[in-house]
Amino acid sequence: MSDELTLDTTTEAFANSRPSAEGLPDYAPVPPSALGPALNEQGYYAGRVERNLYWVTDGVYQSAFLTTSDGVVLLDAPPTIGHNIQRAVDEIAAANGVSNKVTHLIYSHHHADHAGASSLFEKNVARIGHEETRNLLLRDDDPARPAPEETFQDRRKLEIGGERIELAWHGSNHSPDNIYIHLPDHDALMLVDIVNPGWAPVYLSNLTEDIPGYIEAPANALAYPWKHFIGGHLGRLGTRDDVTLHQEYMADIAASVRTAIDTVDPTPYFQKYGENAWAAVRGLLDATTAAAAAPVIEKYTGVLAAADVFTASTTFWVMESIRLDLGYGSYVHP
């Protein structure tokens, strides 16, 4: 692996390079298996998951919805899809002769990139989410994201228009309020911002707040019976194999981090920078990140799209969790 590739994928070094459009790095091609169906002229794709469960994507974000005898149940409302959500609902409803009225909206979690179009739907829509989602949305006071009125703490079973939806919170992961949405009659699970089917996580493990919870989440997901996985991001649905591959990727990062912590010598960085402790710390963390990320990038490039783009960032965040949450490499001064 070249020094240039290592430099371009470390955290601070890449951020400080501020590449211009003319000097942007090259990355490995995206594996065809990572790509989803083509978008229509309006910039979205809507397709059937199973029976009356559908999904819609703009190629980067995903939403899903159930058509029922009582109306439409919407699962998340990403602003990048925006008004195309209702267009997708209209398209499916017209094709199947059912109501296109969104009567319920379920929040996977409070983040604006997955809930920022929720205000497009009628004020009398029933909004449902975790109790912490309500707390956080009341705190954020964003008119684009009205807080859910119906909340739950650990589990909530819904039956809407004869369709079953099981909501569960298994603890903090990507965010404190991120939930599992199981549709047992549709062989589907929606779990947002954990696994990006076919792709590596974006910056810092999908900008995750709780790395131990994030690493645990796929096992919780696999404990449910399902065939179709809705991950909230990118252009295709996932499978159980996608979730397992993500587990293996994260396990390899964690193992490589431990090796790097044990083997990268901090002495040269503190000798070089003397009393500038932060410069020494930066040098050590960047070197440890690069050493840990390199074998994982090599293994998964061509397997997970963008493994060469974001693995170092995720490796840095996993490293910090292993050091700070788990205490690995933390030695008491004699």
Side-chain angles (χ1 to χ4, degrees), residues 23-90:
L24 292 174
D26 293 322
Y27 294 112
V30 172
S33 60
L35 300 175
L39 307 181
N40 64 18
E41 292 181 354
Q42 292 174 302
Y44 71 90
Y45 169 84
R48 188 191 305 271
V49 179
E50 189 160 310
R51 295 199 306 109
N52 57 327
L53 173 64
Y54 300 87
W55 70 297
V56 55
T57 182
D58 60 0
V60 178
Y61 281 86
Q62 299 174 359
S63 177
F65 58 91
L66 270 172
T67 59
T68 81
S69 59
D70 292 343
V72 175
V73 181
L74 180 62
L75 312 176
D76 273 357
T80 65
I81 307 178
H83 289 279
N84 279 338
I85 297 172
Q86 186 65 59
R87 293 186 182 103
V89 170
D90 293 345

Side-chain angles (χ1 to χ4, degrees), residues 1 10 15 33 43 50 79 96 143 145 156 159 184 208 233 272 316:
M1 183 160 296
T10 53
S33 60
E50 189 160 310
N96 292 283
R145 292 175 288 156
R156 174 83 181 273
E159 186 168 325
T208 282
H233 276 290
K272 166 71 175 178
F316 169 78

Side-chain angles (χ1 to χ4, degrees), residues 110-112 133-143 145:
H110 73 287
H111 285 161
T133 299
R134 176 174 172 80
N135 294 337
L136 291 167
L137 288 177
L138 290 174
R139 177 203 68 182
D140 296 343
D141 193 24
D142 178 3
R145 292 175 288 156

Side-chain angles (χ1 to χ4, degrees), residues 54 56 61-66 72-79 81-82 85-86 89 102 104-119 121 127-129 133 137 145 174 177-179 181 190-193 230-233:
Y54 300 87
V56 55
Y61 281 86
Q62 299 174 359
S63 177
F65 58 91
L66 270 172
V72 175
V73 181
L74 180 62
L75 312 176
D76 273 357
I81 307 178
I85 297 172
Q86 186 65 59
V89 170
V102 176
H104 297 77
L105 195 161
I106 297 173
Y107 293 86
S108 66
H109 64 304
H110 73 287
H111 285 161
D113 62 331
H114 292 277
S118 58
S119 64
F121 299 90
R127 300 173 190 275
I128 304 167
T133 299
L137 288 177
R145 292 175 288 156
H174 164 70
D177 59 323
N178 201 31
I179 64 171
I181 304 171
M190 184 171 183
L191 176 61
V192 171
D193 281 336
I230 305 168
H233 276 290

Side-chain angles (χ1 to χ4, degrees), residues 229-286:
F229 183 80
I230 305 168
H233 276 290
L234 298 159
R236 71 165 174 86
L237 295 176
T239 66
R240 298 184 76 88
D241 286 344
D242 287 313
V243 177
T244 299
L245 178 61
H246 172 88
Q247 283 184 302
E248 294 169 355
Y249 170 78
M250 294 303 300
D252 284 342
I253 288 176
S256 192
V257 161
R258 285 174 169 82
T259 298
I261 289 174
D262 290 341
T263 57
V264 173
D265 182 6
T267 307
Y269 306 98
F270 288 90
Q271 288 179 335
K272 166 71 175 178
Y273 294 111
E275 63 185 13
N276 191 343
W278 265 185
V281 167
R282 170 183 159 171
L284 174 61
L285 292 181
D286 279 353

